[in-house]
Amino acid sequence: MHLFDSTKLGLFSSLSNSSTLMYSVLKTLSWGALSVYLYTLDSGEKRFSFLLRVWWVFYFSISCYCLVVDFLFYHKHESSEVRYLLSDIVSVFSALFLFYVGFLRHETQDSLLEQPFLNVDISSDTSNNPTLESNKSRGGDAVTPYANAGPFSILTFYWMNSLIAFGNKKTLDLEDVPQLDSLDSVFRGFPAFRNKLESHNGAASRVTPFKLAKALFLSAWKEILWTALLAIIYTSASYVGPYLIDAFVQCLDGQGEYKNQGYILASTFFVAKLVECISQRHWFFRLQQIGLRHRAVTTTMIYNKGLTLSNQSKHCQTSGEIINIMTVDADRIGEFCWYMHDPWLILLQVGLALLILYQNLGLASVAAFVTTIVVMLINYPLVRLQETFQDKLMDSKDKRMRATTEILRNMRILKLQGWEIKFLSKILELRDVETGWLKKYVYNSAMIMSVFWLAPTLVAVATFGACMLIGIQLESGKILSALATFRVLQMPIYSLPDTLSMIVQTKVSLDRIASFLCLDDLQPDVLEKQPIGSSDTAIEIADGNFSWDLSSPSAALKDINVRVLHGMRVAVCGTVGSGKSSLLSCVLGELHKISGTLKLCGTKAYVAQSAWISTGKIEENILFGKEMDRERYDRILEACSLKKDLEIMSFGDQTVIGERGINLSGGQKQRIQIARALYQDADIYLFDDPFSAVDAHTGSHLFKEVLLGLLSSKTVIYVTHQVEFLPAADLLLVMKDGNITQAGKYDDILCLGSDFMELVGAREAALTVLDSKQKGPASDTDGIMQKQGKNDYENGKSDKVAEPKAQIIQEEERETGSVENGKSDKVAEPKAQIIQEEERETGSVGFPIYWNYITTAYGGGLVPFILLAQILFQVLQISSNYWMAWAAPVSKDVKPVVSGSTLIIVYVLFAIGSSLCILARATLHATAGYKTATLLFNKMPLCIFRAPMSFFDATPSGRIINRVSTDQSAVETRIPYLIGALAFSVIQLLGIIAVMSQVAWQVFIVFIPVIAACIWYQRYYISSARELSRLVGVCKAPVIQHFSETISGATTIRSFDQQSRFQETNMEVTDAYSRPKFHIAGAREWLCFRLDMFSSVTFAFSLAFLVSFRSNIDPAIAGLAVTYGLNLNMLQASVIWNLCDCENKIISVERIIQYISIPSEPSLVVEANRPGRSWPSHGEVDINNLQVRYAPQLPLVLRGITCTFAGGKKTGIVGRTGSGKSTLIQTLFCIVKPAAGQIMIDRLDISSIGLHDLRSRLGIIPQDPTMFEGTIRSNLDPLEEHTDEQIWEALDKCQLGDEVRKKERKLDSTVNENGENWSMGQRQLVCLWRVLLKKSKVLVLDEATASVDTSTDNLIQQTLRQHFSDSTIAHRITSVLDSDMVLLLSHGLVMEYDSPTRLLENKSSSFAQLVAEYIIRSNAT
């Protein structure tokens, strides 16, 4: 026998020595060959050579062989050195990695090995890199590899390899991200969802939250059931470990039932862990996939509803609230898919846990069940509170978003009036209410979290206490099985607060979405559409009574009877608020029909009074979905006087228009609207006073070329205040108080007198003044020309001006060309579009972002205490489990170390300590998260409000709304949770490593390469994941932006019957947002799958060590290590997952900090240079060589203006649309910073004083009249500086007193969002009222009477003469003639500047030509 042992020992020794020598030689050769090969490898080579891959297989085989031999030798002879084992383990992992690279990844050129080892220069220029270039084009057009992936690729998430590898080589852009599979696209998903909803809802039935949830379920029921099956498999596999632990402990104690039971149990543990990991990964991925689909179809449903809302419904739900429903509530529906299985899954997990507990502890499992139920019942009132707080939080968020949206839309007005700080305080007040509810919400969440973190400990105390009372002996194996069961049950119990919270939030969101979907649509039966060509009548209204609001006691239109034949021109006129616009809206089907009939035969096109322009190219706005017909397109541009404007623009008709046409003048926007309508080639055209926004010359040209020219054979209804356009109508309708008081031919109605004579009489009086000023000696030289104009005339251009009138337009075009050539050095420089691609950071999120976030609240002072509380909690948890494993006997035959009471008392003390720690941690964590979110938000609105106007011109409001809604919500709730989860997971993982290494220190050897590999994978993954997350943020803004624009332009979109095209565009931007979201989910699971495999291998090695070296290990402590090891993969993945998720979500903080860092306007107040209280005392304005451009990349708009506006004088500024009139006014208010030159008011340079001091001393009535949601009082006196008597006095002066007195609540009457329940003319009168109280020495009227009739205009001018001496901009010739001086601008240059009388005396002056044309046009009509 001894001889045999000696022989066996010699054989082992010989094998070990030879294998070690062979291993060393082969290892040296292998790595040497690898180094030489990689050094000489061509960067374009796509695959490793066959010989090298064979070598790697051989190396892998030898490494495995050496590991087995050394392991057996070490097992038999414990004195041998462990370094061989360590070396073998590292070699096996390295060889396995090479084997994977060489064979499993040879199909793709983007292997994991290429980037770290190869010195390949990946530059941003892809012109010399065909691989990148082809990838780029492929990414934008090709469908995701997931669509065609095989079973192995889907199982291992191998289909994500190419995108992740590509993201390691360059910064990912949206075109690099593949398209969605058709199953995940909203184009396929939405019709199915809509059919399900309609089939279960019925045509007449209202949408309820239950029906909405049911339709969402049925639209993806197969995928949901598949995820349910995966969840069941995962849950079952996760309980295999706790079920077998007792048997494993008994086996380690030498009480195994059969030979090699330890290895069989270890193999069972390992296989169960693999099944658990794989099922969990695919379960999570499928849930995210379902969530994406649900979010997309919900968003689309909300968008489509927004297109059909009636006017009354819009008053119930403002655009800000609707946007909030789309951004927050639809997202929450998608997020809930993560939690959809949790409620029933927790029941399954609890049931399995009770079965295992009953097997080990008998009736004591009843105590565990009762305790679990009690804990859940305790949580019920907290969940009810959570629902209430969530409701209130969302309501307050809605109000803030509504105000924010309105303010962003009207930021220019706020800055011109100097009101931005007042409205900022309004936002902050709303935010204070919101943060009050947020505070209650987060602290209530902390309480729920505390209860459930402690739940497993409470259940364990109750269970073990019951065992002692019943008399069941506690053995270490049974205790460890119970503890393992509690630990597996711990995660669903931990997640239960989140699940309950999400259920509550989702219920609130479903309620809000269902309520929105139940809002009234436009009446489908208002319009009775007849087939084209079936009748000679285009429009017929019989006994029509219509209302904007059915609850209103009076109708907007009463007893309307109109019949319009095909080809007729119908003019509509009347005073402000008479119902003209309502009549056109009625024809469009926008009003509720109370009674009567409305028939329409033919297609229609509509030009709104307030121009609606969508963000995009000018060409796209004109075509509006139609195919390009170049000849017709050019003819329309000519008719709309747009060609000259496009020639001036750097990109012509390819110029990108900013949000709400921010980079266009009012006249340009209106003419683009007209061109859009003309290009549709409709049968019926509706024009709502389109000529009010353009100058007299352009208005005359448009009327002649458009209404009398291109539309001569069409049916046209046009509303106008210009009396001179009325005689051309076949039918004239005069309106008053919603009634058609007169109808007929112009001459017939003129003979009848009455209401129509008020309008005509005012116009005749104005023409009389013109005629008197026109008569007088003609002089060619008396006009005083300023520098630019004078030089032009001296250079031989005066003869051109004196040519016949038919030549004037042509000569102006030639003069424009010469001016442009003369300034070519300034204008021909490289330009860029005003709307730039949204800024996003690239590369890793810098440490300063994390540091900024962590230290925002209390300088980071709470962080150490939060970490300390969690560390103490973890130490106490491990100590309590260690105590139970050590103190309890391994079997019935072993005498207990301590008594049963001592065992339980010590465990209870540990539990009490854990409870205190977790309560402290939850409270401090909630405090830090809440305070940080509050402080970050408080900085952001101030920075946004103080940003220069150029920022708002170049930034669509959707981007800003995205920051203050989506990103802010992430900072409030998601990011604190993620950062906390990361820190807590790291602490737990370190605890597990400590426990497992303490039992068998050799396990620590395995942890080192595994953790290194995990970190390497995380770094490899994060570059792609980070950019995908940034793309999600960038792609969300267009969804919000498109929706916001659609809501504001819904009437125009419906009038052109373009709903389907806009719905398709919405689905396209929704899919564009889903693309990076889908691939983020795939990338995350790609990483987690690989991390799970590593942790499973680690766990398998640990089990092998424990089984192999059980003679020197305490079975109970070894069982404890296995208990903790069962959670190893979950925690290891959790650390990496939370780390990646944290870096992805922290981008929200990065984006908020971007806006906190926006460059600010100059100071509101300059203390060292504050003007006196009486400034400006005279109102003299000196302008010297003023040059202005809107952005560094854009051309000059004002090109060296020099002139003086005398104090106490009224100056009229005229010029063609786009000549620079409004830009001059913006510069006067420092909205736009001059590129050169200066403006002095009463000899004080306006750039040297604070903006508030400047703007508060000037008065302005802007081009676009604006009213804010609230009351009449809050609109008239937003700063609350005046008494009711002063308000009523000013209302009477601007002809609004009687209108307000008619309203039930007088000054407290409601004003809807954007003043939509007031006519455009009434809004302009409100703006006039505001300046009447201001009584400024310098008052600017920027086309202030463009939307009122001539009679009202005369009254306004009379009011202004009585109360102001001012500077004014006007389009109406009659208004300008009332001025003391006239300044004529052309293309940013001063052409003429003199008194109206002297300019009229000089028959060659451009102003005289303009007036003469106006008189000829008026007399002709």
Side-chain angles (χ1 to χ4, degrees), residues 1020-1291:
Y1020 183 78
Y1021 149 90
I1022 196 61
S1023 57
S1024 299
R1026 186 194 309 117
E1027 297 310 321
L1028 286 170
S1029 289
R1030 286 177 172 141
L1031 284 174
V1032 168
V1034 170
C1035 291
K1036 186 159 191 175
V1039 178
I1040 300 172
Q1041 178 65 24
H1042 181 66
F1043 189 36
S1044 178
E1045 281 190 347
T1046 299
I1047 292 171
S1048 62
T1051 301
T1052 300
I1053 294 168
R1054 288 192 293 261
S1055 69
F1056 287 98
D1057 296 322
Q1058 292 278 336
Q1059 296 97 314
S1060 60
R1061 184 171 70 87
F1062 274 77
Q1063 288 168 356
E1064 185 175 340
T1065 302
N1066 172 67
M1067 290 195 282
E1068 287 173 359
V1069 295
T1070 300
D1071 270 357
Y1073 172 67
S1074 297
R1075 275 162 61 194
K1077 288 276 284 185
F1078 173 83
H1079 287 92
I1080 281 176
R1084 183 183 292 128
E1085 300 308 326
W1086 176 92
L1087 174 67
C1088 288
F1089 175 82
R1090 282 145 182 78
L1091 298 183
D1092 282 349
M1093 293 303 103
F1094 278 123
S1095 61
S1096 297
V1097 170
T1098 305
F1099 185 51
F1101 268 102
S1102 304
L1103 292 172
F1105 276 123
L1106 292 175
V1107 173
S1108 301
F1109 306 124
R1110 56 189 170 189
S1111 58
N1112 297 323
I1113 299 175
D1114 184 342
I1117 304 303
L1120 180 64
V1122 175
T1123 303
Y1124 277 94
L1126 288 171
N1127 287 336
L1128 178 64
N1129 71 301
M1130 185 173 59
L1131 271 175
Q1132 191 169 302
S1134 177
V1135 169
I1136 302 298
W1137 180 312
N1138 286 324
L1139 182 62
C1140 297
D1141 220 12
C1142 198
E1143 185 158 356
N1144 292 338
K1145 295 295 183 184
I1146 203 74
I1147 291 169
S1148 290
V1149 176
E1150 179 183 64
R1151 285 158 59 83
I1152 287 175
I1153 290 175
Q1154 273 182 357
Y1155 272 33
I1156 291 175
S1157 308
I1158 298 171
S1160 177
E1161 282 186 311
S1163 300
L1164 290 173
V1165 175
V1166 179
E1167 293 294 346
N1169 194 25
R1170 298 205 66 174
R1173 289 197 168 193
S1174 60
W1175 182 88
S1177 55
H1178 298 93
E1180 182 177 273
V1181 180
D1182 292 309
I1183 303 174
N1184 182 31
N1185 189 32
L1186 186 64
Q1187 299 178 31
V1188 176
R1189 55 163 48 95
Y1190 279 100
Q1193 72 271 17
L1194 297 178
L1196 287 170
V1197 180
L1198 299 181
R1199 298 184 287 169
I1201 289 180
T1202 300
C1203 60
T1204 299
F1205 302 154
K1209 301 291 184 181
K1210 185 175 181 180
T1211 304
I1213 306 176
V1214 296
R1216 283 190 80 249
T1217 299
S1219 60
K1221 305 184 298 294
S1222 294
T1223 302
L1224 176 59
I1225 299 310
Q1226 291 188 68
T1227 312
L1228 181 65
F1229 283 79
C1230 286
I1231 296 295
V1232 181
K1233 185 179 179 181
Q1238 64 177 357
I1239 298 178
M1240 310 273 287
I1241 298 181
D1242 283 0
R1243 299 183 180 181
L1244 180 62
D1245 187 348
I1246 62 172
S1247 64
S1248 66
I1249 63 174
L1251 292 181
H1252 183 73
D1253 285 338
L1254 170 67
R1255 294 168 183 170
S1256 62
R1257 308 295 179 89
L1258 307 180
I1260 184 170
I1261 303 177
Q1263 188 173 359
D1264 297 320
T1266 300
M1267 292 180 72
F1268 298 91
E1269 184 179 10
T1271 64
I1272 295 175
R1273 187 195 308 276
S1274 66
N1275 268 276
L1276 297 176
D1277 185 23
L1279 301 184
E1280 302 172 358
E1281 296 175 339
H1282 304 286
T1283 63
D1284 282 5
E1285 290 75 17
Q1286 292 173 314
I1287 293 174
W1288 282 113
E1289 181 184 352
L1291 277 173

Side-chain angles (χ1 to χ4, degrees), residues 62-285:
I62 291 296
S63 299
C64 293
Y65 165 74
C66 293
L67 177 63
V68 172
V69 171
D70 285 341
F71 180 77
L72 292 173
F73 185 74
Y74 179 81
H75 179 57
K76 295 296 181 181
H77 302 274
E78 298 174 7
S79 59
S80 298
E81 296 184 23
V82 182
R83 59 187 174 87
Y84 292 133
L85 275 178
L86 178 60
S87 178
D88 290 337
I89 291 168
V90 173
S91 297
V92 168
F93 272 101
S94 302
L96 183 62
F97 174 72
L98 293 173
F99 180 79
Y100 170 71
V101 168
F103 285 86
L104 299 183
R105 299 206 45 178
H106 70 273
E107 294 178 4
T108 178
Q109 66 214 33
D110 299 314
S111 72
L112 292 177
L113 192 64
E114 287 178 338
Q115 182 67 15
F117 284 86
L118 300 184
N119 185 21
V120 181
D121 180 25
I122 303 297
S123 66
S124 58
D125 181 14
T126 60
S127 59
N128 298 321
N129 196 330
T131 301
L132 293 187
E133 193 61 46
S134 64
N135 236 340
K136 183 172 181 177
S137 61
R138 176 181 56 79
D141 300 328
V143 177
T144 175
Y146 175 75
N148 303 309
F152 175 78
S153 181
I154 289 176
L155 182 70
T156 62
F157 297 94
Y158 180 80
W159 55 271
M160 275 300 304
N161 280 19
S162 57
L163 184 62
I164 293 175
F166 191 59
N168 262 278
K169 295 180 178 179
K170 69 176 284 287
T171 301
L172 288 178
D173 294 314
L174 187 60
E175 60 265 25
D176 302 319
V177 182
Q179 298 289 342
L180 293 171
D181 181 23
S182 60
L183 290 172
D184 296 310
S185 172
V186 70
F187 282 95
R188 180 166 175 174
F190 178 69
F193 166 72
R194 182 182 55 204
N195 292 338
K196 297 292 182 185
L197 184 62
E198 290 175 355
S199 64
H200 292 87
N201 196 41
S205 180
R206 293 172 64 85
V207 177
T208 64
F210 174 75
K211 291 175 180 177
L212 185 61
K214 185 178 179 182
L216 286 169
F217 171 80
L218 291 175
S219 64
W221 67 271
K222 291 180 181 178
E223 291 81 1
I224 292 173
L225 290 181
W226 175 238
T227 56
L229 177 62
L230 289 171
I232 292 171
I233 294 172
Y234 162 76
T235 303
S236 302
S238 66
Y239 277 98
V240 170
Y243 180 77
L244 295 177
I245 277 185
D246 188 24
F248 189 71
V249 170
Q250 298 302 324
C251 178
L252 293 181
D253 194 36
Q255 301 178 29
E257 297 177 4
Y258 49 87
K259 187 179 180 183
N260 296 324
Q261 184 184 6
Y263 290 105
I264 293 173
L265 288 173
S267 301
T268 307
F269 275 123
F270 178 61
V271 172
K273 187 57 66 176
L274 285 179
V275 172
E276 176 189 339
C277 294
I278 293 172
S279 58
Q280 185 185 41
R281 296 281 62 85
H282 287 275
W283 172 33
F284 283 1
F285 175 71

Side-chain angles (χ1 to χ4, degrees), residues 429-503:
E429 286 172 8
L430 291 171
R431 174 64 182 175
D432 286 341
V433 176
E434 184 183 350
T435 51
W437 292 113
L438 177 65
K439 187 174 184 179
K440 294 175 182 177
Y441 176 82
V442 296
Y443 279 116
N444 194 64
S445 297
M447 288 299 298
I448 294 174
M449 190 64 73
S450 298
V451 169
F452 279 94
W453 268 79
L454 292 172
T457 304
L458 295 175
V459 173
V461 168
T463 305
F464 296 150
C467 287
M468 187 183 69
L469 293 174
I470 296 173
I472 298 173
Q473 185 176 353
L474 291 173
E475 300 171 11
S476 58
K478 298 183 185 301
I479 289 175
L480 290 172
S481 179
L483 289 175
T485 303
F486 296 145
R487 287 187 66 81
V488 175
L489 191 60
Q490 191 175 25
M491 284 313 293
I493 291 182
Y494 280 180
S495 64
L496 189 56
D498 279 343
T499 303
L500 295 174
S501 176
M502 183 54 69
I503 290 173

Side-chain angles (χ1 to χ4, degrees), residues 351-398:
L352 289 174
L354 290 174
L355 285 175
I356 295 173
L357 289 173
Y358 183 77
Q359 180 192 15
N360 291 319
L361 303 178
L363 291 176
S365 59
V366 176
F369 176 72
V370 171
T371 309
T372 303
I373 297 299
V374 168
V375 169
M376 291 181 176
L377 290 176
I378 290 173
N379 201 57
Y380 179 76
L382 293 175
V383 173
R384 295 289 301 183
L385 275 176
Q386 191 82 334
E387 183 176 1
T388 302
F389 295 153
Q390 176 69 17
D391 259 334
K392 298 294 185 181
L393 179 61
M394 292 309 300
D395 287 342
S396 58
K397 192 184 290 287
D398 276 347

Side-chain angles (χ1 to χ4, degrees), residues 35-51:
S35 301
V36 172
Y37 174 75
L38 292 179
Y39 180 77
T40 58
L41 184 66
D42 180 14
S43 61
E45 192 171 340
K46 297 181 179 179
R47 295 176 57 175
F48 294 105
S49 70
F50 174 76
L51 182 62

